[in-house]
Amino acid sequence: QVQLVESGGGLVQTGGSLRLSCAASGRTFSTYAMGWFRQAPGKERAFVAAITWNGIATRYADSVKGRFTISRDNAKNTVYLQMNSLKPEDTAVYSCAVQERPYVWSTQFDVGSWGQGTQVTVSS
């Protein structure tokens, strides 16, 4: 079981930037795709971005394309989410997730485990 711990959330003004980090435990981090999701108040959790186990391919929600970048450092067992040009509608709790099975990359992200989440608030 991979354990995930997010950090880097906070309060930022519209147009600002934040970088979220997700540190993973476990020796097999480099064999799993990773993803970021977010849940805004009163809304269901939604997919934000995902990256393959080797970092070669990425996928984004339409709402964040061109503004957010997902990346990973397998030597540090960490996945990142660089968020630029932030908008008030990006306000949410952001959680990272690990793919349920290794070496799987598909349009549907089946979550094996979640982090505890980190709050991102964008003020207008």
mmCIF file of all heavy atoms in Angstrom, residues 63-115:
data_model
loop_
_atom_site.group_PDB
_atom_site.id
_atom_site.type_symbol
_atom_site.label_atom_id
_atom_site.label_comp_id
_atom_site.label_asym_id
_atom_site.label_seq_id
_atom_site.Cartn_x
_atom_site.Cartn_y
_atom_site.Cartn_z
ATOM 1 N N SER A 63 -10.320 22.196 -18.006
ATOM 2 C CA SER A 63 -10.361 23.436 -17.232
ATOM 3 C C SER A 63 -8.980 23.914 -16.786
ATOM 4 O O SER A 63 -8.832 25.081 -16.399
ATOM 5 C CB SER A 63 -11.260 23.259 -16.005
ATOM 6 O OG SER A 63 -10.788 22.201 -15.190
ATOM 7 N N VAL A 64 -7.985 23.043 -16.819
ATOM 8 C CA VAL A 64 -6.650 23.428 -16.346
ATOM 9 C C VAL A 64 -5.580 23.353 -17.429
ATOM 10 O O VAL A 64 -4.421 23.724 -17.180
ATOM 11 C CB VAL A 64 -6.216 22.570 -15.132
ATOM 12 C CG1 VAL A 64 -7.272 22.610 -14.030
ATOM 13 C CG2 VAL A 64 -5.910 21.138 -15.541
ATOM 14 N N LYS A 65 -5.946 22.892 -18.606
ATOM 15 C CA LYS A 65 -4.959 22.783 -19.689
ATOM 16 C C LYS A 65 -4.318 24.131 -19.981
ATOM 17 O O LYS A 65 -5.008 25.152 -20.065
ATOM 18 C CB LYS A 65 -5.633 22.248 -20.954
ATOM 19 C CG LYS A 65 -5.841 20.759 -20.967
ATOM 20 C CD LYS A 65 -6.499 20.308 -22.266
ATOM 21 C CE LYS A 65 -6.741 18.816 -22.259
ATOM 22 N NZ LYS A 65 -7.463 18.369 -23.478
ATOM 23 N N GLY A 66 -2.995 24.112 -20.113
ATOM 24 C CA GLY A 66 -2.270 25.335 -20.403
ATOM 25 C C GLY A 66 -1.908 26.135 -19.171
ATOM 26 O O GLY A 66 -1.118 27.084 -19.264
ATOM 27 N N ARG A 67 -2.491 25.790 -18.023
ATOM 28 C CA ARG A 67 -2.194 26.516 -16.779
ATOM 29 C C ARG A 67 -1.499 25.626 -15.743
ATOM 30 O O ARG A 67 -0.667 26.105 -14.983
ATOM 31 C CB ARG A 67 -3.487 27.064 -16.170
ATOM 32 C CG ARG A 67 -4.241 28.024 -17.072
ATOM 33 C CD ARG A 67 -5.406 28.682 -16.340
ATOM 34 N NE ARG A 67 -6.397 27.706 -15.889
ATOM 35 C CZ ARG A 67 -6.776 27.559 -14.622
ATOM 36 N NH1 ARG A 67 -6.232 28.304 -13.664
ATOM 37 N NH2 ARG A 67 -7.690 26.658 -14.293
ATOM 38 N N PHE A 68 -1.852 24.376 -15.700
ATOM 39 C CA PHE A 68 -1.288 23.435 -14.729
ATOM 40 C C PHE A 68 -0.342 22.468 -15.429
ATOM 41 O O PHE A 68 -0.561 22.089 -16.579
ATOM 42 C CB PHE A 68 -2.392 22.616 -14.055
ATOM 43 C CG PHE A 68 -3.293 23.383 -13.117
ATOM 44 C CD1 PHE A 68 -3.293 24.764 -13.062
ATOM 45 C CD2 PHE A 68 -4.164 22.692 -12.275
ATOM 46 C CE1 PHE A 68 -4.124 25.462 -12.211
ATOM 47 C CE2 PHE A 68 -4.999 23.367 -11.406
ATOM 48 C CZ PHE A 68 -4.980 24.761 -11.385
ATOM 49 N N THR A 69 0.684 22.045 -14.680
ATOM 50 C CA THR A 69 1.632 21.062 -15.192
ATOM 51 C C THR A 69 1.906 20.022 -14.119
ATOM 52 O O THR A 69 2.292 20.366 -12.998
ATOM 53 C CB THR A 69 2.952 21.722 -15.601
ATOM 54 O OG1 THR A 69 2.705 22.736 -16.580
ATOM 55 C CG2 THR A 69 3.910 20.688 -16.188
ATOM 56 N N ILE A 70 1.705 18.769 -14.480
ATOM 57 C CA ILE A 70 2.018 17.671 -13.574
ATOM 58 C C ILE A 70 3.392 17.113 -13.944
ATOM 59 O O ILE A 70 3.740 17.014 -15.129
ATOM 60 C CB ILE A 70 0.934 16.571 -13.620
ATOM 61 C CG1 ILE A 70 1.177 15.528 -12.519
ATOM 62 C CG2 ILE A 70 0.836 15.938 -14.989
ATOM 63 C CD1 ILE A 70 0.022 14.535 -12.366
ATOM 64 N N SER A 71 4.161 16.760 -12.933
ATOM 65 C CA SER A 71 5.472 16.168 -13.162
ATOM 66 C C SER A 71 5.797 15.236 -12.003
ATOM 67 O O SER A 71 5.077 15.221 -10.997
ATOM 68 C CB SER A 71 6.548 17.254 -13.300
ATOM 69 O OG SER A 71 6.653 18.007 -12.104
ATOM 70 N N ARG A 72 6.857 14.478 -12.144
ATOM 71 C CA ARG A 72 7.244 13.568 -11.070
ATOM 72 C C ARG A 72 8.748 13.393 -11.039
ATOM 73 O O ARG A 72 9.421 13.549 -12.061
ATOM 74 C CB ARG A 72 6.555 12.209 -11.233
ATOM 75 C CG ARG A 72 6.969 11.407 -12.441
ATOM 76 C CD ARG A 72 6.054 10.190 -12.618
ATOM 77 N NE ARG A 72 6.149 9.256 -11.506
ATOM 78 C CZ ARG A 72 5.212 8.338 -11.225
ATOM 79 N NH1 ARG A 72 4.116 8.255 -11.973
ATOM 80 N NH2 ARG A 72 5.387 7.521 -10.204
ATOM 81 N N ASP A 73 9.238 13.054 -9.868
ATOM 82 C CA ASP A 73 10.647 12.734 -9.665
ATOM 83 C C ASP A 73 10.684 11.383 -8.966
ATOM 84 O O ASP A 73 10.464 11.310 -7.750
ATOM 85 C CB ASP A 73 11.318 13.815 -8.822
ATOM 86 C CG ASP A 73 12.818 13.608 -8.671
ATOM 87 O OD1 ASP A 73 13.275 12.468 -8.851
ATOM 88 O OD2 ASP A 73 13.508 14.572 -8.353
ATOM 89 N N ASN A 74 10.927 10.335 -9.725
ATOM 90 C CA ASN A 74 10.886 8.995 -9.143
ATOM 91 C C ASN A 74 12.024 8.764 -8.144
ATOM 92 O O ASN A 74 11.892 7.926 -7.256
ATOM 93 C CB ASN A 74 10.911 7.948 -10.237
ATOM 94 C CG ASN A 74 9.570 7.835 -10.947
ATOM 95 O OD1 ASN A 74 8.536 8.326 -10.462
ATOM 96 N ND2 ASN A 74 9.565 7.210 -12.120
ATOM 97 N N ALA A 75 13.113 9.484 -8.288
ATOM 98 C CA ALA A 75 14.208 9.348 -7.326
ATOM 99 C C ALA A 75 13.801 9.877 -5.955
ATOM 100 O O ALA A 75 14.331 9.437 -4.927
ATOM 101 C CB ALA A 75 15.443 10.080 -7.828
ATOM 102 N N LYS A 76 12.849 10.817 -5.947
ATOM 103 C CA LYS A 76 12.365 11.398 -4.688
ATOM 104 C C LYS A 76 10.985 10.882 -4.298
ATOM 105 O O LYS A 76 10.410 11.347 -3.309
ATOM 106 C CB LYS A 76 12.328 12.917 -4.804
ATOM 107 C CG LYS A 76 13.694 13.560 -5.012
ATOM 108 C CD LYS A 76 13.576 15.072 -5.075
ATOM 109 C CE LYS A 76 14.947 15.720 -5.228
ATOM 110 N NZ LYS A 76 14.853 17.203 -5.308
ATOM 111 N N ASN A 77 10.451 9.948 -5.069
ATOM 112 C CA ASN A 77 9.103 9.426 -4.794
ATOM 113 C C ASN A 77 8.083 10.554 -4.638
ATOM 114 O O ASN A 77 7.248 10.533 -3.730
ATOM 115 C CB ASN A 77 9.101 8.556 -3.525
ATOM 116 C CG ASN A 77 9.514 7.126 -3.799
ATOM 117 O OD1 ASN A 77 10.118 6.842 -4.830
ATOM 118 N ND2 ASN A 77 9.202 6.226 -2.891
ATOM 119 N N THR A 78 8.143 11.523 -5.525
ATOM 120 C CA THR A 78 7.301 12.712 -5.398
ATOM 121 C C THR A 78 6.676 13.077 -6.742
ATOM 122 O O THR A 78 7.339 12.993 -7.779
ATOM 123 C CB THR A 78 8.109 13.891 -4.858
ATOM 124 O OG1 THR A 78 8.682 13.548 -3.590
ATOM 125 C CG2 THR A 78 7.220 15.117 -4.668
ATOM 126 N N VAL A 79 5.423 13.468 -6.683
ATOM 127 C CA VAL A 79 4.734 14.004 -7.850
ATOM 128 C C VAL A 79 4.341 15.448 -7.533
ATOM 129 O O VAL A 79 4.040 15.777 -6.382
ATOM 130 C CB VAL A 79 3.505 13.144 -8.217
ATOM 131 C CG1 VAL A 79 2.465 13.130 -7.110
ATOM 132 C CG2 VAL A 79 2.881 13.608 -9.522
ATOM 133 N N TYR A 80 4.376 16.289 -8.548
ATOM 134 C CA TYR A 80 4.131 17.713 -8.377
ATOM 135 C C TYR A 80 2.964 18.180 -9.242
ATOM 136 O O TYR A 80 2.654 17.575 -10.270
ATOM 137 C CB TYR A 80 5.389 18.514 -8.769
ATOM 138 C CG TYR A 80 6.630 18.113 -8.041
ATOM 139 C CD1 TYR A 80 7.546 17.226 -8.621
ATOM 140 C CD2 TYR A 80 6.916 18.601 -6.775
ATOM 141 C CE1 TYR A 80 8.699 16.844 -7.966
ATOM 142 C CE2 TYR A 80 8.068 18.228 -6.102
ATOM 143 C CZ TYR A 80 8.955 17.355 -6.703
ATOM 144 O OH TYR A 80 10.101 16.975 -6.036
ATOM 145 N N LEU A 81 2.373 19.287 -8.828
ATOM 146 C CA LEU A 81 1.385 19.959 -9.648
ATOM 147 C C LEU A 81 1.711 21.452 -9.603
ATOM 148 O O LEU A 81 1.499 22.104 -8.580
ATOM 149 C CB LEU A 81 -0.038 19.705 -9.156
ATOM 150 C CG LEU A 81 -1.128 20.274 -10.059
ATOM 151 C CD1 LEU A 81 -1.158 19.527 -11.396
ATOM 152 C CD2 LEU A 81 -2.498 20.193 -9.394
ATOM 153 N N GLN A 82 2.254 21.952 -10.698
ATOM 154 C CA GLN A 82 2.533 23.377 -10.827
ATOM 155 C C GLN A 82 1.280 24.062 -11.354
ATOM 156 O O GLN A 82 0.782 23.694 -12.428
ATOM 157 C CB GLN A 82 3.705 23.621 -11.778
ATOM 158 C CG GLN A 82 4.011 25.079 -12.026
ATOM 159 C CD GLN A 82 4.543 25.784 -10.781
ATOM 160 O OE1 GLN A 82 5.374 25.230 -10.055
ATOM 161 N NE2 GLN A 82 4.062 26.992 -10.525
ATOM 162 N N MET A 83 0.782 25.025 -10.598
ATOM 163 C CA MET A 83 -0.464 25.695 -10.958
ATOM 164 C C MET A 83 -0.177 27.170 -11.190
ATOM 165 O O MET A 83 0.257 27.877 -10.269
ATOM 166 C CB MET A 83 -1.491 25.526 -9.838
ATOM 167 C CG MET A 83 -1.744 24.073 -9.460
ATOM 168 S SD MET A 83 -3.059 23.869 -8.244
ATOM 169 C CE MET A 83 -2.330 24.683 -6.831
ATOM 170 N N ASN A 84 -0.390 27.610 -12.409
ATOM 171 C CA ASN A 84 -0.172 29.012 -12.788
ATOM 172 C C ASN A 84 -1.490 29.651 -13.203
ATOM 173 O O ASN A 84 -2.473 28.959 -13.475
ATOM 174 C CB ASN A 84 0.819 29.090 -13.939
ATOM 175 C CG ASN A 84 2.192 28.540 -13.590
ATOM 176 O OD1 ASN A 84 2.619 28.615 -12.438
ATOM 177 N ND2 ASN A 84 2.872 27.983 -14.573
ATOM 178 N N SER A 85 -1.489 30.960 -13.250
ATOM 179 C CA SER A 85 -2.680 31.721 -13.673
ATOM 180 C C SER A 85 -3.913 31.254 -12.917
ATOM 181 O O SER A 85 -4.969 30.988 -13.524
ATOM 182 C CB SER A 85 -2.887 31.585 -15.182
ATOM 183 O OG SER A 85 -1.758 32.032 -15.895
ATOM 184 N N LEU A 86 -3.796 31.150 -11.628
ATOM 185 C CA LEU A 86 -4.882 30.612 -10.817
ATOM 186 C C LEU A 86 -6.106 31.522 -10.832
ATOM 187 O O LEU A 86 -5.987 32.753 -10.891
ATOM 188 C CB LEU A 86 -4.407 30.378 -9.389
ATOM 189 C CG LEU A 86 -3.549 29.117 -9.214
ATOM 190 C CD1 LEU A 86 -2.752 29.161 -7.924
ATOM 191 C CD2 LEU A 86 -4.428 27.873 -9.256
ATOM 192 N N LYS A 87 -7.257 30.887 -10.769
ATOM 193 C CA LYS A 87 -8.544 31.578 -10.795
ATOM 194 C C LYS A 87 -9.326 31.212 -9.529
ATOM 195 O O LYS A 87 -9.095 30.152 -8.938
ATOM 196 C CB LYS A 87 -9.351 31.130 -12.017
ATOM 197 C CG LYS A 87 -8.626 31.263 -13.345
ATOM 198 C CD LYS A 87 -9.459 30.653 -14.469
ATOM 199 C CE LYS A 87 -8.742 30.747 -15.804
ATOM 200 N NZ LYS A 87 -9.547 30.140 -16.908
ATOM 201 N N PRO A 88 -10.284 32.048 -9.145
ATOM 202 C CA PRO A 88 -11.097 31.706 -7.965
ATOM 203 C C PRO A 88 -11.776 30.345 -8.090
ATOM 204 O O PRO A 88 -11.935 29.639 -7.083
ATOM 205 C CB PRO A 88 -12.119 32.842 -7.917
ATOM 206 C CG PRO A 88 -11.405 34.003 -8.524
ATOM 207 C CD PRO A 88 -10.559 33.409 -9.617
ATOM 208 N N GLU A 89 -12.143 29.945 -9.286
ATOM 209 C CA GLU A 89 -12.796 28.649 -9.472
ATOM 210 C C GLU A 89 -11.843 27.466 -9.294
ATOM 211 O O GLU A 89 -12.272 26.315 -9.312
ATOM 212 C CB GLU A 89 -13.475 28.558 -10.849
ATOM 213 C CG GLU A 89 -12.590 28.932 -12.016
ATOM 214 C CD GLU A 89 -12.779 30.378 -12.439
ATOM 215 O OE1 GLU A 89 -12.854 31.264 -11.553
ATOM 216 O OE2 GLU A 89 -12.847 30.625 -13.672
ATOM 217 N N ASP A 90 -10.550 27.738 -9.128
ATOM 218 C CA ASP A 90 -9.599 26.665 -8.804
ATOM 219 C C ASP A 90 -9.582 26.358 -7.303
ATOM 220 O O ASP A 90 -8.913 25.404 -6.878
ATOM 221 C CB ASP A 90 -8.186 27.045 -9.244
ATOM 222 C CG ASP A 90 -8.043 27.162 -10.753
ATOM 223 O OD1 ASP A 90 -8.589 26.293 -11.467
ATOM 224 O OD2 ASP A 90 -7.395 28.124 -11.210
ATOM 225 N N THR A 91 -10.281 27.163 -6.519
ATOM 226 C CA THR A 91 -10.335 26.927 -5.079
ATOM 227 C C THR A 91 -10.933 25.564 -4.779
ATOM 228 O O THR A 91 -12.035 25.242 -5.246
ATOM 229 C CB THR A 91 -11.169 28.021 -4.389
ATOM 230 O OG1 THR A 91 -10.488 29.276 -4.532
ATOM 231 C CG2 THR A 91 -11.369 27.727 -2.917
ATOM 232 N N ALA A 92 -10.197 24.747 -4.019
ATOM 233 C CA ALA A 92 -10.627 23.387 -3.729
ATOM 234 C C ALA A 92 -9.616 22.716 -2.807
ATOM 235 O O ALA A 92 -8.523 23.246 -2.587
ATOM 236 C CB ALA A 92 -10.743 22.569 -5.021
ATOM 237 N N VAL A 93 -9.994 21.559 -2.326
ATOM 238 C CA VAL A 93 -9.030 20.669 -1.671
ATOM 239 C C VAL A 93 -8.437 19.775 -2.759
ATOM 240 O O VAL A 93 -9.175 19.085 -3.472
ATOM 241 C CB VAL A 93 -9.684 19.812 -0.578
ATOM 242 C CG1 VAL A 93 -8.682 18.800 -0.024
ATOM 243 C CG2 VAL A 93 -10.234 20.697 0.529
ATOM 244 N N TYR A 94 -7.125 19.807 -2.878
ATOM 245 C CA TYR A 94 -6.424 19.032 -3.895
ATOM 246 C C TYR A 94 -5.816 17.787 -3.263
ATOM 247 O O TYR A 94 -5.119 17.870 -2.239
ATOM 248 C CB TYR A 94 -5.330 19.876 -4.539
ATOM 249 C CG TYR A 94 -5.857 20.907 -5.494
ATOM 250 C CD1 TYR A 94 -6.552 22.028 -5.046
ATOM 251 C CD2 TYR A 94 -5.694 20.745 -6.874
ATOM 252 C CE1 TYR A 94 -7.067 22.959 -5.927
ATOM 253 C CE2 TYR A 94 -6.195 21.692 -7.765
ATOM 254 C CZ TYR A 94 -6.868 22.789 -7.287
ATOM 255 O OH TYR A 94 -7.373 23.720 -8.169
ATOM 256 N N SER A 95 -6.081 16.662 -3.904
ATOM 257 C CA SER A 95 -5.578 15.380 -3.394
ATOM 258 C C SER A 95 -4.817 14.653 -4.489
ATOM 259 O O SER A 95 -5.239 14.667 -5.645
ATOM 260 C CB SER A 95 -6.737 14.491 -2.926
ATOM 261 O OG SER A 95 -7.471 15.102 -1.889
ATOM 262 N N CYS A 96 -3.732 14.020 -4.100
ATOM 263 C CA CYS A 96 -3.056 13.164 -5.072
ATOM 264 C C CYS A 96 -3.537 11.731 -4.888
ATOM 265 O O CYS A 96 -4.099 11.370 -3.841
ATOM 266 C CB CYS A 96 -1.547 13.264 -4.963
ATOM 267 S SG CYS A 96 -0.843 12.613 -3.437
ATOM 268 N N ALA A 97 -3.333 10.960 -5.922
ATOM 269 C CA ALA A 97 -3.807 9.581 -5.920
ATOM 270 C C ALA A 97 -2.848 8.711 -6.712
ATOM 271 O O ALA A 97 -2.206 9.182 -7.654
ATOM 272 C CB ALA A 97 -5.205 9.496 -6.528
ATOM 273 N N VAL A 98 -2.780 7.461 -6.332
ATOM 274 C CA VAL A 98 -1.967 6.495 -7.054
ATOM 275 C C VAL A 98 -2.894 5.544 -7.805
ATOM 276 O O VAL A 98 -3.954 5.157 -7.297
ATOM 277 C CB VAL A 98 -1.039 5.721 -6.092
ATOM 278 C CG1 VAL A 98 -1.830 4.954 -5.052
ATOM 279 C CG2 VAL A 98 -0.113 4.791 -6.854
ATOM 280 N N GLN A 99 -2.492 5.229 -9.023
ATOM 281 C CA GLN A 99 -3.252 4.264 -9.830
ATOM 282 C C GLN A 99 -3.355 2.945 -9.082
ATOM 283 O O GLN A 99 -2.444 2.536 -8.375
ATOM 284 C CB GLN A 99 -2.545 4.066 -11.167
ATOM 285 C CG GLN A 99 -3.124 3.026 -12.096
ATOM 286 C CD GLN A 99 -4.501 3.381 -12.614
ATOM 287 O OE1 GLN A 99 -5.499 2.860 -12.143
ATOM 288 N NE2 GLN A 99 -4.545 4.290 -13.578
ATOM 289 N N GLU A 100 -4.485 2.261 -9.265
ATOM 290 C CA GLU A 100 -4.741 1.033 -8.520
ATOM 291 C C GLU A 100 -3.737 -0.068 -8.859
ATOM 292 O O GLU A 100 -3.320 -0.825 -7.979
ATOM 293 C CB GLU A 100 -6.155 0.548 -8.828
ATOM 294 C CG GLU A 100 -6.576 -0.676 -8.035
ATOM 295 C CD GLU A 100 -8.014 -1.047 -8.311
ATOM 296 O OE1 GLU A 100 -8.494 -0.766 -9.426
ATOM 297 O OE2 GLU A 100 -8.659 -1.607 -7.415
ATOM 298 N N ARG A 101 -3.357 -0.146 -10.128
ATOM 299 C CA ARG A 101 -2.449 -1.208 -10.551
ATOM 300 C C ARG A 101 -1.221 -0.612 -11.239
ATOM 301 O O ARG A 101 -1.307 0.444 -11.859
ATOM 302 C CB ARG A 101 -3.175 -2.163 -11.500
ATOM 303 C CG ARG A 101 -4.294 -2.971 -10.852
ATOM 304 C CD ARG A 101 -5.091 -3.696 -11.914
ATOM 305 N NE ARG A 101 -5.840 -2.762 -12.747
ATOM 306 C CZ ARG A 101 -6.349 -3.069 -13.929
ATOM 307 N NH1 ARG A 101 -6.172 -4.264 -14.430
ATOM 308 N NH2 ARG A 101 -7.028 -2.170 -14.600
ATOM 309 N N PRO A 102 -0.087 -1.304 -11.180
ATOM 310 C CA PRO A 102 1.127 -0.781 -11.836
ATOM 311 C C PRO A 102 1.041 -0.865 -13.349
ATOM 312 O O PRO A 102 0.296 -1.688 -13.910
ATOM 313 C CB PRO A 102 2.224 -1.707 -11.291
ATOM 314 C CG PRO A 102 1.515 -2.977 -10.957
ATOM 315 C CD PRO A 102 0.145 -2.567 -10.477
ATOM 316 N N TYR A 103 1.774 0.018 -13.997
ATOM 317 C CA TYR A 103 1.928 0.028 -15.463
ATOM 318 C C TYR A 103 0.583 0.098 -16.185
ATOM 319 O O TYR A 103 0.422 -0.500 -17.263
ATOM 320 C CB TYR A 103 2.712 -1.206 -15.925
ATOM 321 C CG TYR A 103 4.088 -1.312 -15.323
ATOM 322 C CD1 TYR A 103 4.429 -2.388 -14.505
ATOM 323 C CD2 TYR A 103 5.047 -0.321 -15.541
ATOM 324 C CE1 TYR A 103 5.688 -2.477 -13.936
ATOM 325 C CE2 TYR A 103 6.307 -0.406 -14.981
ATOM 326 C CZ TYR A 103 6.615 -1.497 -14.182
ATOM 327 O OH TYR A 103 7.854 -1.584 -13.617
ATOM 328 N N VAL A 104 -0.355 0.806 -15.608
ATOM 329 C CA VAL A 104 -1.654 1.011 -16.238
ATOM 330 C C VAL A 104 -1.800 2.483 -16.597
ATOM 331 O O VAL A 104 -1.565 3.359 -15.755
ATOM 332 C CB VAL A 104 -2.811 0.573 -15.309
ATOM 333 C CG1 VAL A 104 -4.163 1.019 -15.881
ATOM 334 C CG2 VAL A 104 -2.793 -0.929 -15.115
ATOM 335 N N TRP A 105 -2.222 2.737 -17.845
ATOM 336 C CA TRP A 105 -2.465 4.108 -18.308
ATOM 337 C C TRP A 105 -3.700 4.061 -19.194
ATOM 338 O O TRP A 105 -3.678 3.465 -20.252
ATOM 339 C CB TRP A 105 -1.267 4.643 -19.076
ATOM 340 C CG TRP A 105 -1.419 6.048 -19.564
ATOM 341 C CD1 TRP A 105 -1.531 6.473 -20.854
ATOM 342 C CD2 TRP A 105 -1.460 7.227 -18.746
ATOM 343 N NE1 TRP A 105 -1.638 7.835 -20.883
ATOM 344 C CE2 TRP A 105 -1.597 8.332 -19.611
ATOM 345 C CE3 TRP A 105 -1.393 7.454 -17.375
ATOM 346 C CZ2 TRP A 105 -1.667 9.645 -19.153
ATOM 347 C CZ3 TRP A 105 -1.453 8.754 -16.920
ATOM 348 C CH2 TRP A 105 -1.594 9.829 -17.798
ATOM 349 N N SER A 106 -4.779 4.663 -18.753
ATOM 350 C CA SER A 106 -6.015 4.635 -19.517
ATOM 351 C C SER A 106 -6.770 5.924 -19.273
ATOM 352 O O SER A 106 -6.386 6.742 -18.431
ATOM 353 C CB SER A 106 -6.877 3.431 -19.097
ATOM 354 O OG SER A 106 -7.316 3.591 -17.759
ATOM 355 N N THR A 107 -7.871 6.108 -20.004
ATOM 356 C CA THR A 107 -8.657 7.325 -19.857
ATOM 357 C C THR A 107 -9.348 7.377 -18.496
ATOM 358 O O THR A 107 -9.682 8.454 -18.013
ATOM 359 C CB THR A 107 -9.711 7.412 -20.967
ATOM 360 O OG1 THR A 107 -10.499 6.215 -20.957
ATOM 361 C CG2 THR A 107 -9.041 7.570 -22.322
ATOM 362 N N GLN A 108 -9.552 6.245 -17.883
ATOM 363 C CA GLN A 108 -10.134 6.197 -16.548
ATOM 364 C C GLN A 108 -9.042 5.927 -15.530
ATOM 365 O O GLN A 108 -8.263 4.991 -15.671
ATOM 366 C CB GLN A 108 -11.198 5.100 -16.461
ATOM 367 C CG GLN A 108 -11.853 5.020 -15.081
ATOM 368 C CD GLN A 108 -13.023 4.052 -15.053
ATOM 369 O OE1 GLN A 108 -13.678 3.846 -16.072
ATOM 370 N NE2 GLN A 108 -13.287 3.463 -13.904
ATOM 371 N N PHE A 109 -8.991 6.774 -14.504
ATOM 372 C CA PHE A 109 -7.986 6.624 -13.464
ATOM 373 C C PHE A 109 -8.615 5.892 -12.296
ATOM 374 O O PHE A 109 -9.459 6.452 -11.595
ATOM 375 C CB PHE A 109 -7.480 8.004 -13.024
ATOM 376 C CG PHE A 109 -6.210 7.954 -12.213
ATOM 377 C CD1 PHE A 109 -4.989 8.231 -12.796
ATOM 378 C CD2 PHE A 109 -6.244 7.646 -10.858
ATOM 379 C CE1 PHE A 109 -3.814 8.197 -12.051
ATOM 380 C CE2 PHE A 109 -5.079 7.606 -10.107
ATOM 381 C CZ PHE A 109 -3.865 7.879 -10.709
ATOM 382 N N ASP A 110 -8.240 4.659 -12.103
ATOM 383 C CA ASP A 110 -8.756 3.862 -10.983
ATOM 384 C C ASP A 110 -7.827 4.056 -9.792
ATOM 385 O O ASP A 110 -6.680 3.639 -9.819
ATOM 386 C CB ASP A 110 -8.827 2.386 -11.371
ATOM 387 C CG ASP A 110 -9.826 2.133 -12.483
ATOM 388 O OD1 ASP A 110 -10.924 2.718 -12.412
ATOM 389 O OD2 ASP A 110 -9.512 1.375 -13.408
ATOM 390 N N VAL A 111 -8.349 4.672 -8.764
ATOM 391 C CA VAL A 111 -7.533 5.070 -7.626
ATOM 392 C C VAL A 111 -7.288 3.906 -6.670
ATOM 393 O O VAL A 111 -8.228 3.238 -6.238
ATOM 394 C CB VAL A 111 -8.198 6.233 -6.868
ATOM 395 C CG1 VAL A 111 -7.382 6.599 -5.621
ATOM 396 C CG2 VAL A 111 -8.333 7.440 -7.786
ATOM 397 N N GLY A 112 -6.007 3.718 -6.357
ATOM 398 C CA GLY A 112 -5.644 2.700 -5.370
ATOM 399 C C GLY A 112 -5.639 3.275 -3.967
ATOM 400 O O GLY A 112 -6.098 2.638 -3.022
ATOM 401 N N SER A 113 -5.140 4.493 -3.807
ATOM 402 C CA SER A 113 -5.164 5.162 -2.517
ATOM 403 C C SER A 113 -5.068 6.677 -2.721
ATOM 404 O O SER A 113 -4.599 7.145 -3.766
ATOM 405 C CB SER A 113 -4.027 4.666 -1.615
ATOM 406 O OG SER A 113 -2.786 4.872 -2.223
ATOM 407 N N TRP A 114 -5.523 7.395 -1.681
ATOM 408 C CA TRP A 114 -5.576 8.858 -1.709
ATOM 409 C C TRP A 114 -4.645 9.444 -0.654
ATOM 410 O O TRP A 114 -4.415 8.829 0.394
ATOM 411 C CB TRP A 114 -6.991 9.335 -1.383
ATOM 412 C CG TRP A 114 -8.049 8.982 -2.366
ATOM 413 C CD1 TRP A 114 -8.905 7.919 -2.305
ATOM 414 C CD2 TRP A 114 -8.388 9.697 -3.561
ATOM 415 N NE1 TRP A 114 -9.745 7.932 -3.382
ATOM 416 C CE2 TRP A 114 -9.463 9.010 -4.165
ATOM 417 C CE3 TRP A 114 -7.892 10.851 -4.162
ATOM 418 C CZ2 TRP A 114 -10.049 9.445 -5.360
ATOM 419 C CZ3 TRP A 114 -8.476 11.281 -5.345
ATOM 420 C CH2 TRP A 114 -9.529 10.578 -5.932
ATOM 421 N N GLY A 115 -4.209 10.672 -0.929
ATOM 422 C CA GLY A 115 -3.594 11.452 0.118
ATOM 423 C C GLY A 115 -4.674 12.146 0.931
ATOM 424 O O GLY A 115 -5.862 12.038 0.627
#
